Amino acid sequence: MSSKLPVNNAQTITEFLNLHRNQLSEEDSDDSYKFAFDDEAFLSRRETIGIRFELELLKPEILLKEHGIDHTITVFGSTRFVSREHALDLEKKATTPEALALAKKALLHSKYYESAKEFGSLVAQYNATQASDADKLRICTGGGPGIMEAANRGAFEAGDKTIGFNISLPREQHPNPYISPGLSFRFHYFALRKMHFMLRARAIVAYPGGFGSFDELFEVLTLIQTKKVVPIPVILVGIDYWNEMVNFKHMVEFGVIDQEDMQSIHFVETAQEAWQIIQNWYQLS
């Protein structure tokens, strides 16, 4: 079988390639003949992990630029908090002491959901006063439920663009419904997701949360401490929670961090206070 390209007829290269492919024996028509970019099994190999890293870095970067998004405020916090309305509904429907206890805890923690929602709205209201996209600060979250949903919701319902960086997990996490069309991204690698949390971040706002929130928070603090990024305000909402969970003062006294490392960290109780710190830091009107 000759694979020489015909030159004296109107057959196109595409037609020739299709003909050549059809002439292959069934034995040769396997995965090795697939285009590399169209071979899912090949792209999933350990040797191609660098390519997958690059794709997860590049895709959101390109699409965010196309949407004119240069600056973000990244909001972290527990996935388990619900709105006050939802918590009251849970309390109303509780039929056992255990369910009632869970509903009361949900109601207690709903203040953080409502605060994050208010914060998203405050940022959106500021953006509405800015003529240029270059001056706007878009709400960015992990795209899931709880605090992430609340911050996205506050901005979305105020008419602003809002971003979600979702992650594939064993217990599948679905994007919340308050992410703008075209700005909901799905990641496989935590490392690349974290990079996008930071690439455009002009502030970090962390509400009470679990392992994931602490992981992301201390990643940011380490980047600032080691001067890998320009210092940005890191705002911890819920003073009692953060003081009980992390004794930063004792870390300074013990000598494992310096007082200078605390300059970016701000403790607040309300959404208004969190937004005020960002306004003061960047001298926003």
Side-chain angles (χ1 to χ4, degrees), residues 50-276:
I51 297 171
R52 298 196 300 276
F53 277 8
E54 185 174 359
L55 289 172
E56 284 210 346
L57 178 64
L58 192 59
K59 181 180 177 180
E61 181 71 15
I62 291 173
L63 296 179
L64 287 168
K65 282 186 177 180
E66 289 178 353
H67 280 268
I69 295 172
D70 295 320
H71 311 298
T72 61
I73 298 175
T74 300
V75 182
F76 300 142
S78 177
T79 62
R80 304 184 183 193
F81 298 157
V82 298
S83 68
R84 177 174 175 78
E85 180 183 10
H86 188 184
L88 287 171
D89 189 51
L90 290 175
E91 187 177 42
K92 182 180 178 181
K93 293 179 179 178
T95 57
T96 66
E98 293 79 9
L100 182 59
L102 288 174
K104 288 186 177 299
K105 181 175 286 188
L107 185 59
L108 178 66
H109 292 163
S110 68
K111 65 180 181 181
Y112 297 120
Y113 183 104
E114 300 302 331
S115 174
K117 180 182 172 184
E118 180 185 0
F119 179 78
S121 179
L122 288 170
V123 175
Q125 290 170 37
Y126 165 78
N127 288 338
T129 68
Q130 305 303 303
S132 171
D133 279 338
D135 297 324
K136 296 179 180 180
L137 298 162
R138 309 293 190 176
I139 290 293
C140 172
T141 78
I147 291 299
M148 296 177 283
E149 174 187 296
N152 285 138
R153 180 178 178 180
F156 186 86
E157 291 183 346
D160 202 13
K161 290 182 179 179
T162 174
I163 306 155
F165 291 139
N166 214 254
I167 187 79
S168 58
L169 298 170
R171 183 184 298 175
E172 195 62 37
Q173 176 180 294
H174 299 286
N176 68 65
Y178 303 104
I179 303 169
S180 298
L183 294 177
S184 180
F185 301 94
R186 186 184 185 190
F187 289 83
H188 179 74
Y189 300 104
F190 274 104
L192 274 299
R193 184 188 189 221
K194 288 179 182 178
M195 286 189 68
H196 276 290
F197 277 145
M198 286 299 298
L199 280 174
R200 288 155 291 274
R202 297 299 174 261
I204 302 295
V205 178
Y207 281 81
F211 291 155
S213 298
F214 275 80
D215 175 44
E216 291 151 354
L217 172 63
F218 280 95
E219 179 103 9
V220 173
L221 294 177
T222 300
L223 289 171
I224 295 173
Q225 182 192 54
T226 56
K227 296 179 170 54
K228 295 294 184 181
V229 298
V230 174
I232 59 175
V234 178
I235 303 163
L236 307 183
V237 184
I239 297 172
D240 289 343
Y241 177 84
W242 290 110
N243 280 338
E244 186 173 349
M245 296 300 143
V246 187
N247 193 330
F248 288 104
K249 181 179 179 181
H250 188 59
M251 292 175 75
V252 174
E253 293 172 349
F254 203 79
V256 292
I257 63 172
D258 298 324
Q259 186 61 45
E260 179 186 355
D261 297 325
M262 297 295 297
Q263 291 180 359
S264 289
I265 304 176
H266 305 267
F267 297 88
V268 302
E269 201 62 47
T270 68
Q272 294 94 331
E273 290 171 334
W275 175 235
Q276 188 63 56

Side-chain angles (χ1 to χ4, degrees), residues 11-22 33 35:
Q11 186 178 36
T12 65
I13 292 176
T14 301
E15 289 171 337
F16 171 76
L17 289 174
N18 287 336
L19 176 64
H20 183 67
R21 185 172 187 177
N22 290 336
Y33 193 73
F35 289 116

